[in-house]
């Protein structure tokens, strides 16, 4: 399985800024993702079309949306649909990012509806899961991952191809805080995710990418990517500059 090197730009970058960063990255990469790696850039909705257009200059890279509403169209003011995402030229969508769960109040069930609908519409989905500090300290890691994965994948189409689904384990306490989970924490959580996916997806679990996210930087990406069951990284802050994201993309 190729490792997935994903950028999450959150609420940063206008369309022209996004296109400029992708253009710079394309030059630095020489027009292609490194062997054995694929690149995804999750961009704000207003920059999605420009990002998707610019990313065509990198073989093995795709653009994604950070959010969507689970309907083709309708009276959902402020939302965007999978059809709109695809029309922008993007292939991916993030679901269940902790900022949407904890700041925007998205429930496990709603995250599950989005995940299922996006897959049914032919998008590739990266479902984010992860525990808060309180949940971790109360010994709730397994229970949280079990619930978020079970609810998140509840209604996905039976014929979902494993390459269209990825899971990102992002401990909430490590996102944007500079605190990276230690190797033991990552190994434990990723192996838990793999076995929980096995129970939910059967043999497809082995081919479903599990990414780590939370304060990934050029200095720690190589050692994180070397851990068992880590099939990529989802990078926020350190993906905003092309040079820094490039170092992570090439990290070993
Ligand atoms: P961070 O964000 O790399 O800035 O911690 C990761 C994420 O939220 O996906």
């Amino acid at each position: 399985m190729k490792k997935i090197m994903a950028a999450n730009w959150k609420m940063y970058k206008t369309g022209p800024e996004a296109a400029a960063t992708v253009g710079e990255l394309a030059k630095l990469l020489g027009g292609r993702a490194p062997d054995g790696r694929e690149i995804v850039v999750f961009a704000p909705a207003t920059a999605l079309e420009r990002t998707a257009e610019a990313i065509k200059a990198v073989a093995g890279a795709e653009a994604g949306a950070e959010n969507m509403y689970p309907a083709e169209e309708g009276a959902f003011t402020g939302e965007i649909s999978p059809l709109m995402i695809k029309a922008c030229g993007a292939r991916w969508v993030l679901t269940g990012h902790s900022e949407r769960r904890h700041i925007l109040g998205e429930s496990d069930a709603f995250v599950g509806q989005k995940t299922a609908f996006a897959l049914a519409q032919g998008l590739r989905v990266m479902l984010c899961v992860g525990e808060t500090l309180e949940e971790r300290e109360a010994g709730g890691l397994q229970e949280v991952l079990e619930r978020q994965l079970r609810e998140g994948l509840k209604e996905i189409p039976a014929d979902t191809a494993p390459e269209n689904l990825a899971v990102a384990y992002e401990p909430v306490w490590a996102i944007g805080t500079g605190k990276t989970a230690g190797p033991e924490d990552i190994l434990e959580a990723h192996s838990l995710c793999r076995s929980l996916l096995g129970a939910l997806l059967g043999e497809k679990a082995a081919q479903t990418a599990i990414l780590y996210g939370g304060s990934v930087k050029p200095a720690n990406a190589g050692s994180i990517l070397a851990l068992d069951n880590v099939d990529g990284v989802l990078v926020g802050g350190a993906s905003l500059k092309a040079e820094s994201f490039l170092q992570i993309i090439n990290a070993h």
Side-chain angles (χ1 to χ4, degrees), residues 6-10 170 213-217 234-241:
N8 172 13
W9 282 349
K10 309 191 178 190
E170 299 199 302
S215 296
V216 174
K217 308 283 177 230
L234 177 58
V235 189
S239 72
L240 291 168
K241 292 210 160 65

Side-chain angles (χ1 to χ4, degrees), residues 24-101:
E24 210 184 314
L25 188 64
K27 269 200 205 110
L28 292 167
L29 283 164
R32 58 176 43 254
D35 285 347
R37 301 207 164 174
E38 63 176 304
I39 298 168
V40 187
V41 174
F42 292 101
T46 49
L48 191 53
E49 192 158 15
R50 299 285 300 263
T51 301
E53 187 57 38
I55 218 159
K56 288 183 189 158
V58 185
E62 291 175 330
E66 298 173 10
N67 182 38
M68 49 142 264
Y69 192 86
E72 286 186 13
E73 60 182 5
F76 304 106
T77 301
E79 295 294 318
I80 61 169
S81 78
L83 303 187
M84 295 169 181
I85 293 168
K86 288 189 284 183
C88 285
R91 282 283 286 124
W92 283 86
V93 66
L94 274 182
T95 57
H97 189 275
S98 71
E99 286 147 19
R100 298 211 59 87
R101 292 179 190 267

